[in-house]
Each structure stands twice: as C-alpha cells, then as structure tokens.
Amino acid sequence: MNRDVGIKTRAECLKEYGSDYLIQQKVESGELFRVGKALYSDEKSVPEVAVLAHKYPKAVLTMYSAFYLHGLTDVSPERYELATDRNAAKIRDRRVKQYFIPSHFVEQGIKTTKYKGYPIRIYNKERMLIELLRYKSKLPFDFYKEVLLNYRKILPKLNIQEVLDYAMDAPKSSKIMEMLQLEVL
C-alpha cells in the first residue's frame, strides 16, 4: 500500500458526498466503511489506534502503547494510553486510559508517525524514557526492567541532550535526573 490512507469524519463525508443518504449508499456498496461513531474510511480494516488518534487529535500515545509501538516491549497493551493536557476533558472511552500531563510538558517530544499508513501522534523514545522513570513506581517491576534493559541497548542511538532537556522540564526533575544517572547513563 503506497498511498496514504485516511479516516474521514461525517462532516468531511457530507462535504464530499452531499448527504447522509449518499454516505449510506457508499457504505452499503462497500466503497466506504464505518470505522467508528461518525468516522469513515475507504479501507475496510482500520487499526483501532488510528481511529482513536483521529477521534482525539490532541492526545498523544504514551506509556505501554508507546513502548510497544517503539519496539521496547513485546507486551501488547490492554488499553490505549493517551496523554492530554491537564485541563483537557476526560476521555470517556473504555479502550483508553488517560494521563493528564502539565500544560508546559504535554507537547514536548511529540512526533507524528505512520502506523499502517495512518498518522499517529506518539512521544519519541527520548521522552518515553522520562515517562518510564516518572511512572516507575506505578509499573510492574518486570515490565520496568524489560523496557529499561531495552533502553540500555539503544542508548547510543538516543539523543542524550534531548533526554536531559525533557528531564529538566519534567515534574520532579531532580528525582528524574538522579534516576537517569543511577539507572540509565
């Protein structure tokens, strides 16, 4: 599949097709597929993470979901973890675990990557190392150790200055800097 694939909202479909009736006709003919509430795609199978990324465009994939997509663990997440601004509305979706991040820190380290052709906002590996340390006490010990060992393997490929910058901006930065020195670097 060389071309970019996408998800369209009902409003975008109305603009393109003209009416709900014509949208329904496209769905019934198999030219368009309903992939979520008021969300459509020209592809029959759309990854759930892509639907959630489209549904919550300001949210960022984090924690288990990000570690999994970055290849730092083979533990498939039970739910999708999404980070949002501390002042954002609560996401009421059973598939999502939401992390509320301080406003000054939520946008740091975001990259948009393609997952099976769909754009996904995710924190980069450097930022995820900081998240690993921030949430150490809330993660199962075996999981923490697995991801930390995988980080040690890729350490030469990481931008250490970026890691240090994120650590300095993170809540409880002195504790995170100490953990970085003791456990990672």
Side-chain angles (χ1 to χ4, degrees):
M1 184 183 324
N2 289 343
R3 65 185 183 82
D4 280 348
V5 289
I7 298 172
K8 301 172 191 171
T9 62
R10 177 180 168 269
E12 292 167 332
C13 286
L14 280 172
K15 192 179 277 187
E16 187 173 335
Y17 303 118
S19 71
D20 282 321
Y21 175 78
L22 292 173
I23 294 170
Q24 190 58 37
Q25 292 297 306
K26 293 282 185 189
V27 170
E28 287 172 9
S29 72
E31 293 176 56
L32 195 64
F33 301 92
R34 188 167 187 260
V35 294
K37 186 175 180 180
L39 295 175
Y40 300 89
S41 175
D42 53 359
E43 300 288 324
K44 185 175 186 174
S45 180
V46 177
E48 194 171 39
V49 68
V51 173
L52 292 171
H54 193 81
K55 190 172 180 181
Y56 306 109
K58 292 189 178 200
V60 186
L61 222 53
T62 189
M63 298 308 291
Y64 287 89
S65 303
F67 293 131
Y68 181 74
L69 287 178
H70 282 309
L72 294 163
T73 182
D74 56 3
V75 176
S76 182
E78 293 176 17
R79 293 190 292 173
Y80 295 96
E81 286 91 3
L82 297 177
T84 60
D85 188 288
R86 176 176 280 157
N87 301 317
K90 175 133 179 65
I91 295 174
R92 299 188 190 288
D93 189 321
R94 61 177 170 59
R95 303 169 293 179
V96 173
K97 179 174 182 186
Q98 186 174 10
Y99 289 78
F100 292 97
I101 309 293
S103 300
H104 78 280
F105 196 53
V106 72
E107 292 292 322
Q108 293 183 22
I110 296 174
K111 71 176 197 169
T112 300
T113 188
K114 293 282 186 186
Y115 179 76
K116 297 184 179 179
Y118 296 89
I120 306 289
R121 284 171 36 108
I122 186 170
Y123 284 126
N124 63 26
K125 289 179 183 174
E126 289 83 0
R127 169 64 190 267
M128 285 312 302
L129 176 55
I130 301 305
E131 296 302 297
L132 179 70
L133 299 174
R134 283 181 67 209
Y135 289 98
K136 176 183 179 180
S137 64
K138 294 183 169 119
L139 297 170
F141 182 73
D142 291 344
F143 179 81
Y144 174 80
K145 278 301 199 197
E146 175 195 2
V147 174
L148 188 62
L149 289 172
N150 285 328
Y151 263 112
R152 287 182 183 152
K153 290 176 190 172
I154 65 166
L155 200 57
K157 296 177 185 170
L158 293 179
N159 181 337
I160 299 303
Q161 186 57 53
E162 219 173 296
V163 172
L164 295 173
D165 290 345
Y166 296 144
M168 292 304 291
D169 283 347
K172 300 180 183 169
S173 63
S174 58
K175 182 175 174 141
I176 290 173
M177 289 298 279
E178 184 181 320
M179 291 170 69
L180 263 173
Q181 293 297 323
L182 292 173
E183 299 189 36
V184 183
L185 304 175

